[in-house]
Amino acid sequence: MFPSIKSSKQSKKITTIGFYNVENLFDTEDNPKTFDDDYTSDGKRKWTYKRYKIKIKKLGSVISQLGLNRSKYPPAIVGLVEVENAKVVRDLINSSNLKKHHYGFAHYDSPDERGIDVALLYNKRVFEFLKSETFPVFLEDDEGERDYTRDILKVSGNLHGELVHIIVNHWSSRREGAAETEHKRVTAAITARNIIKDIKDKHYDAKIIVMGDFNDDPTSKSVKTLVSDDFINPMETILDREKLGSLTYDGKWNLFDQIIFSKNFTEKKEGKLYFKHAEVFNKEWLKIFKGKLKGSPFRTYIGPWYQGGFSDHFPVYAFLKKKDD
């Protein structure tokens, strides 16, 4: 059903890091504490168990193939956003395409009003989980009331024996307008920078990976606030030179989904992981193949209409390698 990717350049020495906005991965049960009513069998979207299982299988297929053009194995780490709860993440890692790869995950329920959260998958064979915690992003609406959004997730562990800290983000959308909501994403960027500072205060020369759907491009003010001189953002080159994006809006490509590395990932030190390359996973079978949206991500819904696709975002991924390989 889904194409496999094979290459003569495959190598077990390459480690893949991925990120994927999985577009409203809800179960079919109503959570009375959140606005998830649309994603029930009686809701506006007619979200049935069959549709849920199809989406789980499709997402698992995509994740299992990230990086296989250069690496022998599926990704060691995958950040996820728009997951409803731990149940859907568990169903995902137990799906047919992922079960054999021994993924664990970190997830916390966020205060987001829609009930969507962030999570991190990690391959237990290559990543030794040490610690995880979440950090709220404090926003206010026009009336001065708390505007609840997704927490930022931090996970620390040993990747191929080397301590790495991963920070997963899903910043506020542009729904009310890019300029009108920019301050929310800048606040999230400042929150993430405070997390980074805390890590660096405790760990000298810490290796940090920041990933997420930032709802802004690499050149936007919020992302530039996040990416100081101590970080590199390979996604900026992809947007600038390769003119590639991870989603479309009003016929224009954006690269909101990004993986960003602390600058010490550019150093090729003996026995240490270093950054090699980053890409957008935009295979033809992940795209709408006809009509005015041709070429954009093949999503689960367009408006209220079920399409049976994957997500409204393409995943992104990057490769790491060790100096002694």
mmCIF file with all atom_site columns, all heavy atoms in Angstrom, residues 226-245:
data_model
loop_
_atom_site.group_PDB
_atom_site.id
_atom_site.type_symbol
_atom_site.label_atom_id
_atom_site.label_alt_id
_atom_site.label_comp_id
_atom_site.label_asym_id
_atom_site.label_entity_id
_atom_site.label_seq_id
_atom_site.pdbx_PDB_ins_code
_atom_site.Cartn_x
_atom_site.Cartn_y
_atom_site.Cartn_z
_atom_site.occupancy
_atom_site.B_iso_or_equiv
_atom_site.pdbx_formal_charge
_atom_site.auth_seq_id
_atom_site.auth_comp_id
_atom_site.auth_asym_id
_atom_site.auth_atom_id
_atom_site.pdbx_PDB_model_num
ATOM 1   N N   . LEU A 1 226 ? 14.664 32.526 18.888 1.00 0.00 ? 226 LEU A N   1
ATOM 2   C CA  . LEU A 1 226 ? 15.099 31.227 19.408 1.00 0.00 ? 226 LEU A CA  1
ATOM 3   C C   . LEU A 1 226 ? 16.524 30.891 18.979 1.00 0.00 ? 226 LEU A C   1
ATOM 4   O O   . LEU A 1 226 ? 17.340 30.423 19.776 1.00 0.00 ? 226 LEU A O   1
ATOM 5   C CB  . LEU A 1 226 ? 14.143 30.140 18.908 1.00 0.00 ? 226 LEU A CB  1
ATOM 6   C CG  . LEU A 1 226 ? 14.521 28.691 19.194 1.00 0.00 ? 226 LEU A CG  1
ATOM 7   C CD1 . LEU A 1 226 ? 14.501 28.410 20.697 1.00 0.00 ? 226 LEU A CD1 1
ATOM 8   C CD2 . LEU A 1 226 ? 13.582 27.744 18.463 1.00 0.00 ? 226 LEU A CD2 1
ATOM 9   N N   . VAL A 1 227 ? 16.841 31.125 17.723 1.00 0.00 ? 227 VAL A N   1
ATOM 10  C CA  . VAL A 1 227 ? 18.115 30.697 17.145 1.00 0.00 ? 227 VAL A CA  1
ATOM 11  C C   . VAL A 1 227 ? 19.153 31.803 17.291 1.00 0.00 ? 227 VAL A C   1
ATOM 12  O O   . VAL A 1 227 ? 19.317 32.644 16.404 1.00 0.00 ? 227 VAL A O   1
ATOM 13  C CB  . VAL A 1 227 ? 17.952 30.284 15.668 1.00 0.00 ? 227 VAL A CB  1
ATOM 14  C CG1 . VAL A 1 227 ? 19.273 29.746 15.114 1.00 0.00 ? 227 VAL A CG1 1
ATOM 15  C CG2 . VAL A 1 227 ? 16.860 29.239 15.519 1.00 0.00 ? 227 VAL A CG2 1
ATOM 16  N N   . SER A 1 228 ? 19.851 31.807 18.404 1.00 0.00 ? 228 SER A N   1
ATOM 17  C CA  . SER A 1 228 ? 20.936 32.760 18.617 1.00 0.00 ? 228 SER A CA  1
ATOM 18  C C   . SER A 1 228 ? 22.232 32.204 18.038 1.00 0.00 ? 228 SER A C   1
ATOM 19  O O   . SER A 1 228 ? 22.228 31.193 17.334 1.00 0.00 ? 228 SER A O   1
ATOM 20  C CB  . SER A 1 228 ? 21.089 33.038 20.121 1.00 0.00 ? 228 SER A CB  1
ATOM 21  O OG  . SER A 1 228 ? 19.906 33.621 20.638 1.00 0.00 ? 228 SER A OG  1
ATOM 22  N N   . ASP A 1 229 ? 23.349 32.851 18.338 1.00 0.00 ? 229 ASP A N   1
ATOM 23  C CA  . ASP A 1 229 ? 24.640 32.458 17.766 1.00 0.00 ? 229 ASP A CA  1
ATOM 24  C C   . ASP A 1 229 ? 25.065 31.054 18.173 1.00 0.00 ? 229 ASP A C   1
ATOM 25  O O   . ASP A 1 229 ? 25.949 30.468 17.550 1.00 0.00 ? 229 ASP A O   1
ATOM 26  C CB  . ASP A 1 229 ? 25.729 33.453 18.187 1.00 0.00 ? 229 ASP A CB  1
ATOM 27  C CG  . ASP A 1 229 ? 25.519 34.827 17.575 1.00 0.00 ? 229 ASP A CG  1
ATOM 28  O OD1 . ASP A 1 229 ? 24.789 34.902 16.572 1.00 0.00 ? 229 ASP A OD1 1
ATOM 29  O OD2 . ASP A 1 229 ? 26.084 35.801 18.094 1.00 0.00 ? 229 ASP A OD2 1
ATOM 30  N N   . ASP A 1 230 ? 24.443 30.517 19.219 1.00 0.00 ? 230 ASP A N   1
ATOM 31  C CA  . ASP A 1 230 ? 24.838 29.195 19.704 1.00 0.00 ? 230 ASP A CA  1
ATOM 32  C C   . ASP A 1 230 ? 24.064 28.057 19.046 1.00 0.00 ? 230 ASP A C   1
ATOM 33  O O   . ASP A 1 230 ? 24.211 26.894 19.421 1.00 0.00 ? 230 ASP A O   1
ATOM 34  C CB  . ASP A 1 230 ? 24.679 29.121 21.232 1.00 0.00 ? 230 ASP A CB  1
ATOM 35  C CG  . ASP A 1 230 ? 23.286 29.540 21.703 1.00 0.00 ? 230 ASP A CG  1
ATOM 36  O OD1 . ASP A 1 230 ? 22.553 30.153 20.906 1.00 0.00 ? 230 ASP A OD1 1
ATOM 37  O OD2 . ASP A 1 230 ? 22.942 29.257 22.863 1.00 0.00 ? 230 ASP A OD2 1
ATOM 38  N N   . PHE A 1 231 ? 23.233 28.376 18.036 1.00 0.00 ? 231 PHE A N   1
ATOM 39  C CA  . PHE A 1 231 ? 22.446 27.369 17.337 1.00 0.00 ? 231 PHE A CA  1
ATOM 40  C C   . PHE A 1 231 ? 22.549 27.554 15.827 1.00 0.00 ? 231 PHE A C   1
ATOM 41  O O   . PHE A 1 231 ? 22.825 28.651 15.338 1.00 0.00 ? 231 PHE A O   1
ATOM 42  C CB  . PHE A 1 231 ? 20.969 27.435 17.757 1.00 0.00 ? 231 PHE A CB  1
ATOM 43  C CG  . PHE A 1 231 ? 20.672 26.715 19.038 1.00 0.00 ? 231 PHE A CG  1
ATOM 44  C CD1 . PHE A 1 231 ? 20.951 27.311 20.260 1.00 0.00 ? 231 PHE A CD1 1
ATOM 45  C CD2 . PHE A 1 231 ? 20.127 25.443 19.034 1.00 0.00 ? 231 PHE A CD2 1
ATOM 46  C CE1 . PHE A 1 231 ? 20.696 26.651 21.456 1.00 0.00 ? 231 PHE A CE1 1
ATOM 47  C CE2 . PHE A 1 231 ? 19.865 24.774 20.221 1.00 0.00 ? 231 PHE A CE2 1
ATOM 48  C CZ  . PHE A 1 231 ? 20.151 25.369 21.437 1.00 0.00 ? 231 PHE A CZ  1
ATOM 49  N N   . ILE A 1 232 ? 22.309 26.462 15.104 1.00 0.00 ? 232 ILE A N   1
ATOM 50  C CA  . ILE A 1 232 ? 22.202 26.517 13.647 1.00 0.00 ? 232 ILE A CA  1
ATOM 51  C C   . ILE A 1 232 ? 20.834 25.981 13.250 1.00 0.00 ? 232 ILE A C   1
ATOM 52  O O   . ILE A 1 232 ? 20.308 25.073 13.885 1.00 0.00 ? 232 ILE A O   1
ATOM 53  C CB  . ILE A 1 232 ? 23.306 25.699 12.949 1.00 0.00 ? 232 ILE A CB  1
ATOM 54  C CG1 . ILE A 1 232 ? 23.249 24.212 13.368 1.00 0.00 ? 232 ILE A CG1 1
ATOM 55  C CG2 . ILE A 1 232 ? 24.674 26.288 13.221 1.00 0.00 ? 232 ILE A CG2 1
ATOM 56  C CD1 . ILE A 1 232 ? 23.995 23.284 12.442 1.00 0.00 ? 232 ILE A CD1 1
ATOM 57  N N   . ASN A 1 233 ? 20.268 26.570 12.213 1.00 0.00 ? 233 ASN A N   1
ATOM 58  C CA  . ASN A 1 233 ? 18.975 26.119 11.714 1.00 0.00 ? 233 ASN A CA  1
ATOM 59  C C   . ASN A 1 233 ? 19.116 25.701 10.253 1.00 0.00 ? 233 ASN A C   1
ATOM 60  O O   . ASN A 1 233 ? 19.035 26.534 9.347  1.00 0.00 ? 233 ASN A O   1
ATOM 61  C CB  . ASN A 1 233 ? 17.924 27.216 11.846 1.00 0.00 ? 233 ASN A CB  1
ATOM 62  C CG  . ASN A 1 233 ? 16.523 26.708 11.532 1.00 0.00 ? 233 ASN A CG  1
ATOM 63  O OD1 . ASN A 1 233 ? 16.343 25.567 11.129 1.00 0.00 ? 233 ASN A OD1 1
ATOM 64  N ND2 . ASN A 1 233 ? 15.530 27.558 11.718 1.00 0.00 ? 233 ASN A ND2 1
ATOM 65  N N   . PRO A 1 234 ? 19.331 24.409 9.990  1.00 0.00 ? 234 PRO A N   1
ATOM 66  C CA  . PRO A 1 234 ? 19.507 23.961 8.600  1.00 0.00 ? 234 PRO A CA  1
ATOM 67  C C   . PRO A 1 234 ? 18.261 24.142 7.750  1.00 0.00 ? 234 PRO A C   1
ATOM 68  O O   . PRO A 1 234 ? 18.336 24.135 6.519  1.00 0.00 ? 234 PRO A O   1
ATOM 69  C CB  . PRO A 1 234 ? 19.861 22.478 8.756  1.00 0.00 ? 234 PRO A CB  1
ATOM 70  C CG  . PRO A 1 234 ? 19.265 22.074 10.067 1.00 0.00 ? 234 PRO A CG  1
ATOM 71  C CD  . PRO A 1 234 ? 19.391 23.282 10.947 1.00 0.00 ? 234 PRO A CD  1
ATOM 72  N N   . MET A 1 235 ? 17.107 24.333 8.389  1.00 0.00 ? 235 MET A N   1
ATOM 73  C CA  . MET A 1 235 ? 15.871 24.488 7.629  1.00 0.00 ? 235 MET A CA  1
ATOM 74  C C   . MET A 1 235 ? 15.837 25.832 6.895  1.00 0.00 ? 235 MET A C   1
ATOM 75  O O   . MET A 1 235 ? 15.125 25.969 5.898  1.00 0.00 ? 235 MET A O   1
ATOM 76  C CB  . MET A 1 235 ? 14.656 24.374 8.558  1.00 0.00 ? 235 MET A CB  1
ATOM 77  C CG  . MET A 1 235 ? 14.720 23.244 9.578  1.00 0.00 ? 235 MET A CG  1
ATOM 78  S SD  . MET A 1 235 ? 15.193 21.631 8.920  1.00 0.00 ? 235 MET A SD  1
ATOM 79  C CE  . MET A 1 235 ? 13.744 21.176 8.003  1.00 0.00 ? 235 MET A CE  1
ATOM 80  N N   . GLU A 1 236 ? 16.588 26.807 7.366  1.00 0.00 ? 236 GLU A N   1
ATOM 81  C CA  . GLU A 1 236 ? 16.623 28.103 6.682  1.00 0.00 ? 236 GLU A CA  1
ATOM 82  C C   . GLU A 1 236 ? 17.213 27.959 5.279  1.00 0.00 ? 236 GLU A C   1
ATOM 83  O O   . GLU A 1 236 ? 16.745 28.591 4.325  1.00 0.00 ? 236 GLU A O   1
ATOM 84  C CB  . GLU A 1 236 ? 17.417 29.120 7.505  1.00 0.00 ? 236 GLU A CB  1
ATOM 85  C CG  . GLU A 1 236 ? 17.362 30.519 6.927  1.00 0.00 ? 236 GLU A CG  1
ATOM 86  C CD  . GLU A 1 236 ? 17.891 31.586 7.871  1.00 0.00 ? 236 GLU A CD  1
ATOM 87  O OE1 . GLU A 1 236 ? 18.199 31.274 9.049  1.00 0.00 ? 236 GLU A OE1 1
ATOM 88  O OE2 . GLU A 1 236 ? 17.995 32.742 7.433  1.00 0.00 ? 236 GLU A OE2 1
ATOM 89  N N   . THR A 1 237 ? 18.231 27.133 5.157  1.00 0.00 ? 237 THR A N   1
ATOM 90  C CA  . THR A 1 237 ? 18.829 26.878 3.847  1.00 0.00 ? 237 THR A CA  1
ATOM 91  C C   . THR A 1 237 ? 17.842 26.171 2.933  1.00 0.00 ? 237 THR A C   1
ATOM 92  O O   . THR A 1 237 ? 17.748 26.477 1.737  1.00 0.00 ? 237 THR A O   1
ATOM 93  C CB  . THR A 1 237 ? 20.103 26.023 3.986  1.00 0.00 ? 237 THR A CB  1
ATOM 94  O OG1 . THR A 1 237 ? 21.045 26.723 4.795  1.00 0.00 ? 237 THR A OG1 1
ATOM 95  C CG2 . THR A 1 237 ? 20.724 25.739 2.634  1.00 0.00 ? 237 THR A CG2 1
ATOM 96  N N   . ILE A 1 238 ? 17.094 25.222 3.484  1.00 0.00 ? 238 ILE A N   1
ATOM 97  C CA  . ILE A 1 238 ? 16.091 24.492 2.690  1.00 0.00 ? 238 ILE A CA  1
ATOM 98  C C   . ILE A 1 238 ? 15.047 25.448 2.146  1.00 0.00 ? 238 ILE A C   1
ATOM 99  O O   . ILE A 1 238 ? 14.654 25.374 0.975  1.00 0.00 ? 238 ILE A O   1
ATOM 100 C CB  . ILE A 1 238 ? 15.438 23.393 3.547  1.00 0.00 ? 238 ILE A CB  1
ATOM 101 C CG1 . ILE A 1 238 ? 16.449 22.283 3.851  1.00 0.00 ? 238 ILE A CG1 1
ATOM 102 C CG2 . ILE A 1 238 ? 14.210 22.812 2.845  1.00 0.00 ? 238 ILE A CG2 1
ATOM 103 C CD1 . ILE A 1 238 ? 15.933 21.216 4.785  1.00 0.00 ? 238 ILE A CD1 1
ATOM 104 N N   . LEU A 1 239 ? 14.586 26.377 2.969  1.00 0.00 ? 239 LEU A N   1
ATOM 105 C CA  . LEU A 1 239 ? 13.565 27.335 2.541  1.00 0.00 ? 239 LEU A CA  1
ATOM 106 C C   . LEU A 1 239 ? 14.148 28.334 1.547  1.00 0.00 ? 239 LEU A C   1
ATOM 107 O O   . LEU A 1 239 ? 13.525 28.642 0.528  1.00 0.00 ? 239 LEU A O   1
ATOM 108 C CB  . LEU A 1 239 ? 13.004 28.070 3.758  1.00 0.00 ? 239 LEU A CB  1
ATOM 109 C CG  . LEU A 1 239 ? 11.892 29.091 3.477  1.00 0.00 ? 239 LEU A CG  1
ATOM 110 C CD1 . LEU A 1 239 ? 10.640 28.384 2.973  1.00 0.00 ? 239 LEU A CD1 1
ATOM 111 C CD2 . LEU A 1 239 ? 11.582 29.895 4.727  1.00 0.00 ? 239 LEU A CD2 1
ATOM 112 N N   . ASP A 1 240 ? 15.357 28.806 1.818  1.00 0.00 ? 240 ASP A N   1
ATOM 113 C CA  . ASP A 1 240 ? 15.957 29.875 1.023  1.00 0.00 ? 240 ASP A CA  1
ATOM 114 C C   . ASP A 1 240 ? 16.468 29.377 -0.329 1.00 0.00 ? 240 ASP A C   1
ATOM 115 O O   . ASP A 1 240 ? 16.168 29.947 -1.372 1.00 0.00 ? 240 ASP A O   1
ATOM 116 C CB  . ASP A 1 240 ? 17.096 30.516 1.817  1.00 0.00 ? 240 ASP A CB  1
ATOM 117 C CG  . ASP A 1 240 ? 17.749 31.662 1.064  1.00 0.00 ? 240 ASP A CG  1
ATOM 118 O OD1 . ASP A 1 240 ? 17.009 32.480 0.498  1.00 0.00 ? 240 ASP A OD1 1
ATOM 119 O OD2 . ASP A 1 240 ? 18.992 31.740 1.046  1.00 0.00 ? 240 ASP A OD2 1
ATOM 120 N N   . ARG A 1 241 ? 17.233 28.297 -0.314 1.00 0.00 ? 241 ARG A N   1
ATOM 121 C CA  . ARG A 1 241 ? 17.884 27.824 -1.539 1.00 0.00 ? 241 ARG A CA  1
ATOM 122 C C   . ARG A 1 241 ? 17.063 26.789 -2.296 1.00 0.00 ? 241 ARG A C   1
ATOM 123 O O   . ARG A 1 241 ? 16.999 26.809 -3.531 1.00 0.00 ? 241 ARG A O   1
ATOM 124 C CB  . ARG A 1 241 ? 19.257 27.232 -1.202 1.00 0.00 ? 241 ARG A CB  1
ATOM 125 C CG  . ARG A 1 241 ? 20.234 28.253 -0.632 1.00 0.00 ? 241 ARG A CG  1
ATOM 126 C CD  . ARG A 1 241 ? 21.599 27.598 -0.390 1.00 0.00 ? 241 ARG A CD  1
ATOM 127 N NE  . ARG A 1 241 ? 22.492 28.503 0.319  1.00 0.00 ? 241 ARG A NE  1
ATOM 128 C CZ  . ARG A 1 241 ? 23.694 28.154 0.763  1.00 0.00 ? 241 ARG A CZ  1
ATOM 129 N NH1 . ARG A 1 241 ? 24.144 26.916 0.563  1.00 0.00 ? 241 ARG A NH1 1
ATOM 130 N NH2 . ARG A 1 241 ? 24.458 29.025 1.404  1.00 0.00 ? 241 ARG A NH2 1
ATOM 131 N N   . GLU A 1 242 ? 16.447 25.877 -1.564 1.00 0.00 ? 242 GLU A N   1
ATOM 132 C CA  . GLU A 1 242 ? 15.733 24.784 -2.224 1.00 0.00 ? 242 GLU A CA  1
ATOM 133 C C   . GLU A 1 242 ? 14.259 25.092 -2.450 1.00 0.00 ? 242 GLU A C   1
ATOM 134 O O   . GLU A 1 242 ? 13.570 24.355 -3.159 1.00 0.00 ? 242 GLU A O   1
ATOM 135 C CB  . GLU A 1 242 ? 15.892 23.505 -1.401 1.00 0.00 ? 242 GLU A CB  1
ATOM 136 C CG  . GLU A 1 242 ? 17.352 23.083 -1.213 1.00 0.00 ? 242 GLU A CG  1
ATOM 137 C CD  . GLU A 1 242 ? 17.482 21.804 -0.410 1.00 0.00 ? 242 GLU A CD  1
ATOM 138 O OE1 . GLU A 1 242 ? 16.639 20.901 -0.585 1.00 0.00 ? 242 GLU A OE1 1
ATOM 139 O OE2 . GLU A 1 242 ? 18.435 21.703 0.390  1.00 0.00 ? 242 GLU A OE2 1
ATOM 140 N N   . LYS A 1 243 ? 13.770 26.176 -1.829 1.00 0.00 ? 243 LYS A N   1
ATOM 141 C CA  . LYS A 1 243 ? 12.380 26.615 -2.002 1.00 0.00 ? 243 LYS A CA  1
ATOM 142 C C   . LYS A 1 243 ? 11.382 25.513 -1.647 1.00 0.00 ? 243 LYS A C   1
ATOM 143 O O   . LYS A 1 243 ? 10.348 25.344 -2.292 1.00 0.00 ? 243 LYS A O   1
ATOM 144 C CB  . LYS A 1 243 ? 12.133 27.088 -3.441 1.00 0.00 ? 243 LYS A CB  1
ATOM 145 C CG  . LYS A 1 243 ? 13.131 28.099 -3.965 1.00 0.00 ? 243 LYS A CG  1
ATOM 146 C CD  . LYS A 1 243 ? 13.146 29.385 -3.155 1.00 0.00 ? 243 LYS A CD  1
ATOM 147 C CE  . LYS A 1 243 ? 14.134 30.390 -3.729 1.00 0.00 ? 243 LYS A CE  1
ATOM 148 N NZ  . LYS A 1 243 ? 14.250 31.614 -2.881 1.00 0.00 ? 243 LYS A NZ  1
ATOM 149 N N   . LEU A 1 244 ? 11.712 24.761 -0.605 1.00 0.00 ? 244 LEU A N   1
ATOM 150 C CA  . LEU A 1 244 ? 10.839 23.681 -0.159 1.00 0.00 ? 244 LEU A CA  1
ATOM 151 C C   . LEU A 1 244 ? 10.114 24.088 1.116  1.00 0.00 ? 244 LEU A C   1
ATOM 152 O O   . LEU A 1 244 ? 10.640 24.849 1.932  1.00 0.00 ? 244 LEU A O   1
ATOM 153 C CB  . LEU A 1 244 ? 11.647 22.407 0.096  1.00 0.00 ? 244 LEU A CB  1
ATOM 154 C CG  . LEU A 1 244 ? 12.327 21.778 -1.113 1.00 0.00 ? 244 LEU A CG  1
ATOM 155 C CD1 . LEU A 1 244 ? 13.155 20.571 -0.667 1.00 0.00 ? 244 LEU A CD1 1
ATOM 156 C CD2 . LEU A 1 244 ? 11.315 21.357 -2.158 1.00 0.00 ? 244 LEU A CD2 1
ATOM 157 N N   . GLY A 1 245 ? 8.915  23.558 1.309  1.00 0.00 ? 245 GLY A N   1
ATOM 158 C CA  . GLY A 1 245 ? 8.164  23.809 2.524  1.00 0.00 ? 245 GLY A CA  1
ATOM 159 C C   . GLY A 1 245 ? 7.599  22.520 3.083  1.00 0.00 ? 245 GLY A C   1
ATOM 160 O O   . GLY A 1 245 ? 7.728  21.448 2.499  1.00 0.00 ? 245 GLY A O   1
#
